[in-house]
Amino acid sequence: MKRRNFTAAALAAAAFVAALPALAQDNTFKIGLILPMSGQQATTGRQIEAAARLYMAQNGDTVAGKKIQLIVKDDTSLPDATRRLAQELVVNDKVNVLAGFGITPSALATAPIATQSKTPMVVMAAATSSITEASPYIVRTSFTLPQASVALADWAPKNGIKKVVTLVSDYGPGIDAEKFFKERLIFNGGQVTESLRVPMRNPDFAPFLQKVRDGKPDALFVFVPSGAGAAVMKQFLERGMDKAGIKLIGTGDVTDDDQLNDMGDGALGVVTSHHYSAAHPSALNKKFVAAFEKANKGMRPNFMAVGGYDGMRVIYEALRAAKTTGKAMPTGDAVLAAMKGQIFESPRGKMFIDAQTRDVVQDIYLRKVEKKDGQLHNVEFDVIKDVKDPGKTK
Ligand code: VNL
């Protein structure tokens, strides 16, 4: 009770300070970047931090006369830690923007802090549809699972896949993926014979996969968060599921570019739907991938990296557009307003921040794992243009 009162008072004080931009002591625009830099989701943190630093290296650290400071915090993907760090960043560091958020529970835990302190919160990774409805200060630059799943459910029945078992991580994004894939597949005349859910933390896929094998569906549809795909692929192949005639399909999280090249030739032919592939053949993406790899000892950027890179773009351009005089900092509300409606070319393709929903509208690609120059890639073979999140209730 005491702690809560303290929190409320501290947040009220922070909101008060934020409302008096002219009194700000220095000329630094602070971005509090909260990421899982260790623990099960560490690859997501590593990718996003690297992308944010690349954006700054390419675009400078001065925008509209303000010095940009990036403050990176490791929440180890535990939502209580995310919330505590967000509170410290707002109250003590007086950050102008909160950003990052590797998993849905971390984003949801922070939403009330963004609302109370009127701080724009840029979700660069987490992808449950409802996140943007948790605070009017949230803007998303990643994707949503309904957005990615529906495209695959349109593709599958036209390609001989009618009977599907779904296997998802048992939390927000997995439940979204399961629901939207299933509804659309049934609408298209297909069938989901079983819906399996695995724990998000330390999952063991083996017993689930055995069950799938026995049921002999045409395909197994998988959603697991970034970083868990290689384990699914390994066990899928070890159980000889491919040889039993069961295809592996899923959202692009499972053939994550961070891990894909180490998955081996067993991954060849896997079809997924997603908003980003490192093999996207645009000039802008080729430049992005080359610069990212050069700055990070050859690490290939994945969809998390592009969410971080574009998130920085949204922040930079909002600061540029939010009009202020002299040394004054724009308010959180002014920065938020300038984030809404941004439209630009991303390494993923054209992207748009819908001013109404504050969510990302983007192209969704169908991709197949192929070998190019000796490396495994998600090669795009079809595109659905300008996809809005089908999960929005309003
Ligand atoms: C989430 C969604 C996380 C998709 C992911 O990887 C992902 C989430 C860490 O919303 O928690 O690939």
Side-chain angles (χ1 to χ4, degrees):
M1 202 51 209
K2 270 221 173 86
R3 211 188 144 89
R4 270 182 187 277
N5 284 339
F6 169 76
T7 303
L11 287 169
F16 179 71
V17 171
L20 293 172
L23 296 183
Q25 280 160 355
D26 59 29
N27 200 31
T28 308
F29 186 89
K30 297 180 184 171
I31 303 169
L33 185 63
I34 311 176
L35 293 168
M37 299 306 302
S38 56
Q40 199 177 313
Q41 257 71 47
T43 57
T44 291
R46 191 176 68 210
Q47 286 270 352
I48 294 178
E49 182 184 5
R53 296 209 183 281
L54 176 65
Y55 190 89
M56 292 181 73
Q58 292 175 332
N59 294 278
D61 62 357
T62 304
V63 178
K66 317 284 187 288
K67 190 98 182 149
I68 306 284
Q69 185 189 358
L70 192 66
I71 307 174
V72 180
K73 299 283 181 188
D74 177 12
D75 68 3
T76 69
S77 87
L78 294 175
D80 284 345
T82 322
R83 179 184 14 223
R84 177 179 50 77
L85 290 167
Q87 200 163 299
E88 286 170 10
L89 284 166
V90 166
V91 175
N92 302 338
D93 297 293
K94 307 198 170 30
V95 294
N96 301 86
V97 173
L98 289 164
F101 311 102
I103 57 169
T104 289
S106 293
L108 293 178
T110 308
I113 294 173
T115 305
Q116 286 163 41
S117 65
K118 300 184 187 296
T119 307
M121 170 173 159
V122 179
V123 174
M124 296 170 161
T128 302
S129 173
S130 64
I131 288 173
T132 42
E133 289 162 335
S135 167
Y137 285 85
I138 291 179
V139 167
R140 172 155 43 200
T141 59
S142 52
F143 73 110
T144 81
L145 267 304
Q147 200 174 42
S149 305
V150 159
L152 196 62
D154 283 339
W155 173 84
K158 290 186 230 148
N159 290 275
I161 296 171
K162 296 254 152 82
K163 234 178 83 179
V164 180
V165 173
T166 60
L167 175 68
V168 302
S169 278
D170 191 5
Y171 78 117
I175 290 160
D176 270 1
E178 177 190 285
K179 175 171 186 276
F180 282 84
F181 178 82
K182 180 176 176 174
E183 280 178 9
R184 189 66 154 242
L185 190 75
I186 292 172
F187 177 81
N188 289 329
Q191 197 186 345
V192 170
T193 51
E194 199 154 13
S195 296
L196 305 170
R197 294 180 183 179
V198 288
M200 185 217 156
R201 303 213 185 255
N202 307 309
D204 176 10
F205 302 107
F208 294 96
L209 291 177
Q210 193 55 50
K211 224 176 148 193
V212 176
R213 213 197 133 132
D214 298 342
K216 284 204 189 313
D218 299 323
L220 173 67
F221 167 88
V222 175
F223 166 79
V224 288
S226 180
V232 173
M233 186 69 72
K234 184 165 177 277
Q235 301 208 14
F236 184 86
L237 298 171
E238 273 175 13
R239 290 197 151 53
M241 314 265 294
D242 53 335
K243 303 219 168 61
I246 302 166
K247 291 204 165 63
L248 180 64
I249 59 174
T251 58
D253 310 71
V254 74
T255 54
D256 187 344
D257 273 307
D258 190 73
Q259 297 185 317
L260 177 61
N261 209 20
D262 299 321
M263 289 185 191
D265 287 356
L268 286 168
V270 171
V271 171
T272 56
S273 51
H274 228 205
H275 59 294
Y276 180 67
S277 164
H280 180 63
S282 71
L284 182 68
N285 186 52
K286 284 181 182 149
K287 254 178 67 188
F288 168 69
V289 173
F292 188 95
E293 289 183 344
K294 184 156 181 249
N296 296 284
K297 302 193 178 90
M299 174 165 77
R300 187 194 286 180
N302 70 356
F303 62 97
M304 293 302 186
V306 91
Y309 192 76
D310 293 332
M312 290 298 285
R313 191 272 181 202
V314 167
I315 296 167
Y316 267 50
E317 292 310 315
L319 177 55
R320 224 186 293 284
K323 297 271 177 294
T324 54
T325 46
K327 286 203 160 188
M329 276 296 158
T331 60
D333 283 302
V335 173
L336 176 75
M339 288 179 173
K340 296 179 186 177
Q342 284 193 29
I343 182 161
F344 56 98
E345 190 193 351
S346 148
R348 72 187 85 181
K350 190 178 91 185
M351 104 170 220
F352 170 52
I353 303 294
D354 186 315
Q356 256 68 54
T357 62
R358 292 162 280 99
D359 219 335
V360 51
V361 178
Q362 58 193 336
D363 297 348
I364 296 293
Y365 306 87
L366 287 157
R367 315 97 51 85
K368 184 184 272 182
V369 177
E370 289 175 13
K371 207 171 242 180
K372 270 180 34 185
D373 306 326
Q375 310 243 334
L376 295 179
H377 280 284
N378 292 299
V379 176
E380 296 166 355
F381 63 86
D382 202 359
V383 58
I384 301 99
K385 291 290 211 186
D386 300 327
V387 182
K388 280 191 177 194
D389 173 29
K392 290 285 171 290
T393 51
K394 310 187 241 298

